[in-house]
Amino acid sequence: DQQVKQNSPSLSVQEGRISILNCDYTNSMFDYFLWYKKYPAEGPTFLISISSIKDKNEDGRFTVFLNKSAKHLSLHIVPSQPGDSAVYFCAASYGQNFVFGPGTRLSVLP
Amino acid sequence: KAGVTQTPRYLIKTRGQQVTLSCSPISGHRSVSWYQQTPGQGLQFLFEYFSETQRNKGNFPGRFSGRQFSNSRSEMNVSTLELGDSALYLCASRRGTGGFSEQYFGPGTRLTVT
């Protein structure tokens, strides 16, 4: 049973437009949520996180929104750039546990 | 500050053999976790070590084992390799000393079993 789901395996967006990546979770124990970006032949790199006591966290072009009642979070990238093309993993944590979603491949078209 | 390093980066083994992968965490990080990444499966958690003790374990068979040394370096061993073990194995480190701390990943070891 997947506790963290990313239902879109891939997403294509035009350069300059907004990219919205979605993530759903099932375990209400999760209290910290993160997004990682992964390029081919590299390990995932930490992008942005949000605590369950917040509903929004912003860092430059990246904003993460958390809807606890819906057990849903999303990552917004504005404006999208070709260098943002990568696989994005959503992760959720409680205690010492980290659970990753299957990832969404984002392609930003020039 | 140097990042997480993993050796070797690429490895080819045959079925039935065993393999040992190595991970050196970021200086000051005491927690090391191992993940297996296969296409479409995301990152599957293997185990986490903290201060030389296994703190958490994923749902993998006993052929997968690990250990951590006093300098926080960690090794992962897979015995009796199967074709399905072909994957990218990622190591991640974090402070892990209390409260939340994000994980930092190494570049991974690409294991191919033939």
Side-chain angles (χ1 to χ4, degrees), chain B:
Chain B
K1 190 187 266 191
V4 178
T5 58
Q6 291 187 245
T7 56
R9 291 294 310 276
Y10 302 92
L11 207 47
I12 299 175
K13 291 284 189 179
T14 57
R15 276 180 299 176
Q17 287 187 312
Q18 72 155 15
V19 67
T20 299
L21 312 181
S22 181
C23 171
S24 293
I26 291 172
S27 176
H29 285 192
R30 292 166 60 187
S31 164
V32 173
S33 296
W34 288 89
Y35 293 85
Q36 180 194 66
Q37 186 192 7
T38 52
Q41 293 297 314
L43 281 75
Q44 303 293 312
F45 173 72
L46 280 152
F47 27 65
E48 180 186 15
Y49 285 87
F50 177 80
S51 292
E52 302 178 66
T53 302
Q54 189 179 87
R55 188 158 68 172
N56 211 350
K57 189 177 189 307
N59 190 24
F60 276 81
R63 300 185 296 108
F64 292 81
S65 62
R67 59 177 175 168
Q68 187 181 33
F69 302 95
S70 58
N71 61 359
S72 294
R73 191 177 70 85
S74 177
E75 286 182 348
M76 189 191 94
N77 184 276
V78 188
S79 62
T80 320
L81 284 166
E82 301 176 358
L83 293 178
D85 296 333
S86 295
L88 180 68
Y89 289 89
L90 291 159
C91 161
S93 77
R94 59 186 176 128
R95 296 193 188 284
T97 53
F100 176 80
S101 56
E102 58 263 21
Q103 297 188 87
Y104 294 86
F105 284 84
T109 294
R110 172 73 62 185
L111 171 65
T112 302
V113 182
T114 61

